Amino acid sequence: KDLLHAGLVGRVSQALLEAGIQARQLTLELTENILMKQIESALPMLDQLRALGVSLSVDDFGTGYSSLSHPSTLPIDSPKVDRSFVRGLRTDTKEAAVVRAVVQLGISLGKSVVAEGIETPAQLAQLREMGCDLGQGFHLGYPLMPDDVDRLLDTLVAASVTELRVVA
């Protein structure tokens, strides 16, 4: 519903201002099925959000009915490989073939691919080998309370970490 609301870009702009962050620091995530159901009416809003500088990510990529018919034309920055594919990720499985195809498609289109549900070192290693450089899952970290995020960021600053990309 938010994609069809005329005030969405204004609300996002206001939220950025109130949070004191730049638009390039925000990624809005849309589920593939919702996006595909509203694609025609949502495109102008997505274009406005991108013009603002906000990144767009498609969650559950590959699980919807028409995911591969639009990736080159959608104004998105990163498809997210669904955890159902990552869960079954082993060498020479159908899941591995799907993940490899999505990663290669993303790379070919200049998009950053995010793998969801990374729970083992083996999954992480295989994803890296495929060229997937962004991920999320319990192997990489557990959800944090706001105070814990502040402590983590303080620790990273103290350790002179200059770049951190958090994928929620």
Side-chain angles (χ1 to χ4, degrees):
K1 291 181 181 180
D2 286 331
L3 283 177
L4 303 177
H5 192 275
L8 178 62
V9 175
R11 288 190 356 238
V12 170
S13 295
Q14 184 63 33
L16 290 168
L17 188 63
E18 289 174 9
I21 63 172
Q22 297 176 16
R24 65 178 173 76
Q25 295 173 293
L26 176 65
T27 299
L28 295 179
E29 188 173 296
L30 308 114
T31 62
E32 179 186 22
N33 286 332
I34 296 297
L35 179 60
M36 290 300 114
K37 286 178 186 173
Q38 301 178 14
I39 189 66
E40 294 304 321
S41 53
L43 280 175
M45 186 68 64
L46 297 177
D47 286 334
Q48 290 175 34
L49 289 166
R50 289 283 306 278
L52 186 64
V54 172
S55 295
L56 302 171
S57 182
V58 177
D59 193 21
D60 302 334
F61 188 81
T63 62
Y65 59 92
S66 61
S67 57
L68 296 179
S69 64
H70 293 284
S72 62
T73 58
L74 285 176
I76 62 166
D77 300 286
S78 56
K80 293 180 76 176
V81 178
D82 188 67
R83 72 182 67 250
S84 63
F85 296 115
V86 174
R87 184 181 311 117
L89 196 60
R90 287 177 290 289
T91 306
D92 298 326
T93 62
K94 290 179 183 178
E95 289 84 358
V98 170
V99 172
R100 186 176 292 105
V102 171
V103 169
Q104 289 306 308
L105 177 64
I107 291 170
S108 297
L109 296 174
K111 315 251 184 224
S112 298
V113 180
V114 180
E116 295 181 308
I118 302 171
E119 295 184 3
T120 68
Q123 291 169 335
L124 179 60
Q126 191 171 2
L127 288 160
R128 283 185 172 160
E129 185 179 301
M130 290 178 180
C132 185
D133 57 351
L134 298 173
Q136 65 186 72
F138 294 143
H139 176 66
L140 302 173
Y142 286 88
L144 299 172
M145 297 302 292
D147 290 344
D148 295 329
V149 172
D150 290 340
R151 280 191 286 280
L152 173 63
L153 293 175
D154 289 343
T155 301
L156 293 171
V157 168
S160 299
V161 173
T162 58
E163 185 175 332
L164 174 67
R165 180 159 180 193
V166 177
V167 181

